[in-house]
């Protein structure tokens, strides 16, 4: 899928996971050793790998047991390595979370229908939202101060409580009584003002992260309900990745006629190349479903020299898991077609 977005869009060009060092051998004194003998066992030999001691063999015991007049031998096996690994897994589960890196995907409107024109000048809309593989990366770390601190790689993004990430963290503390604050770094890749819901996704991701740091005291349904207080598109990201939505957007084709012209040119130039061409949200993104390659005029004409182009796939998430960053932008989508977009300044 090829996408092109056309509003004041900005072109934008982890902490390593914690690991638990597991020791896989318990060393016992040799038979006959005593403290008074002065004889010491050889020291345990540490290696350089994650298995810090030599692996020990399972302990086996043979037991004879009479059964129906016959002697039957049973073998009992105790594997200390397995037991130690189980204990290490439990430690990992109980260890407090101190940092977290999450993918914050954006969305497209697969279709959008105007159901009526409102008296306030807006339109009532019906639309199918779907999450795609284009997104930002957000890193969260616990902060010792009583204040959230936000940084980003893009100039012009607000870093105070005007940002939806900070609003989401404030909302979570208000709803749960949590006293945790965060250092947050936003690696912005989604163009702003492009109708892709990047800010809404950032807010949903921040709510999800805060809940992880607080041992998931809130349910997904509660996070979804709360999120509507700070943005109408945020609850969508707590779906599994696709949802039928209704609401209200200014008629973007009337506000920015160049969008309508761009869509018409893509449809004409890509005849047979795209299964569908449509605008996402209130603009300024034009989506072409099918080929990931945009028409050549986008590259050749001065009007589109600052266009933001990207290939993307439709993605979903499982219950109790957040969206995963795709391993490759050319991976096959669940729908069998790849979305792409272009964002115009």
């Amino acid at each position: 899928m090829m996408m092109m977005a056309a509003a004041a869009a900005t072109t934008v060009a982890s902490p390593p996971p914690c690991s638990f060092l597991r020791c896989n051998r318990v060393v016992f004194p040799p038979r006959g050793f005593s403290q008074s003998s002065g004889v010491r066992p050889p020291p345990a030999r540490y290696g350089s790998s994650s298995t810090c001691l030599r692996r020990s063999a399972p302990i086996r015991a043979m037991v004879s047991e009479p059964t129906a007049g016959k002697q039957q031998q049973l073998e009992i096996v105790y594997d200390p390595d397995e037991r130690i690994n189980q204990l290490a897994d439990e430690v990992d589960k109980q260890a407090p979370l101190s940092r977290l890196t999450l993918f914050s995907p954006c969305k497209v409107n697969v279709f959008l229908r105007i159901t009526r024109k409102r008296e306030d000048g807006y339109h009532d809309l019906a639309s199918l939202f779907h999450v795609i593989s284009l997104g930002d990366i957000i890193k969260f770390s616990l902060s010792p101060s009583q204040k959230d601190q936000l940084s980003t790689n893009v100039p012009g993004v607000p870093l105070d409580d005007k940002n939806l990430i900070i609003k989401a963290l404030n909302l979570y503390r208000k709803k749960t009584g949590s006293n945790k604050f965060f250092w947050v770094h936003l690696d912005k890749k989604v163009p702003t003002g492009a109708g892709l819901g990047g800010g809404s996704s950032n807010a949903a991701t921040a709510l999800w992260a805060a809940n992880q740091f607080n041992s998931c005291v809130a349910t997904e349904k509660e996070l979804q309900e709360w999120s509507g207080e700070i943005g109408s598109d945020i609850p969508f990201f707590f779906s599994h990745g696709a949802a039928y939505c209704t609401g209200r957007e200014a008629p973007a084709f009337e506000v920015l006629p160049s969008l309508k012209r761009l869509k018409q040119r893509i449809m004409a130039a890509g005849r047979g190349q795209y299964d569908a061409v449509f605008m996402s949200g209130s603009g300024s993104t034009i989506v072409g479903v099918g080929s990931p390659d945009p028409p050549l005029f986008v590259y050749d004409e001065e009007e589109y020299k600052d266009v933001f182009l990207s290939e993307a796939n439709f993605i979903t998430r499982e219950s109790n898991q957040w969206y995963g960053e795709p391993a490759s932008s050319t991976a096959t989508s669940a729908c069998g077609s790849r979305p792409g977009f272009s964002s115009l300044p």
Side-chain angles (χ1 to χ4, degrees), residues 163-172 199-200 202-204 206-207 223-235:
N163 192 292
L164 281 171
I165 292 176
I166 303 299
K167 287 184 178 181
L169 296 176
N170 287 334
L171 176 67
Y172 186 85
S200 296
N202 292 167
L207 283 171
L223 294 177
Q224 185 178 51
E225 291 174 349
W226 299 343
S227 68
E229 297 183 17
I230 56 175
S232 57
D233 282 354
I234 303 173

Side-chain angles (χ1 to χ4, degrees), residues 255-288:
V255 175
L256 197 60
S258 59
L259 279 176
K260 185 174 183 179
R261 184 171 66 252
L262 174 60
K263 176 183 175 182
Q264 292 171 341
R265 291 194 65 184
I266 292 176
M267 292 175 66
R271 193 172 301 279
Q273 186 177 2
Y274 304 114
D275 298 322
V277 178
F278 55 87
M279 184 180 70
S280 180
S282 57
S284 58
T285 297
I286 302 296
V287 179

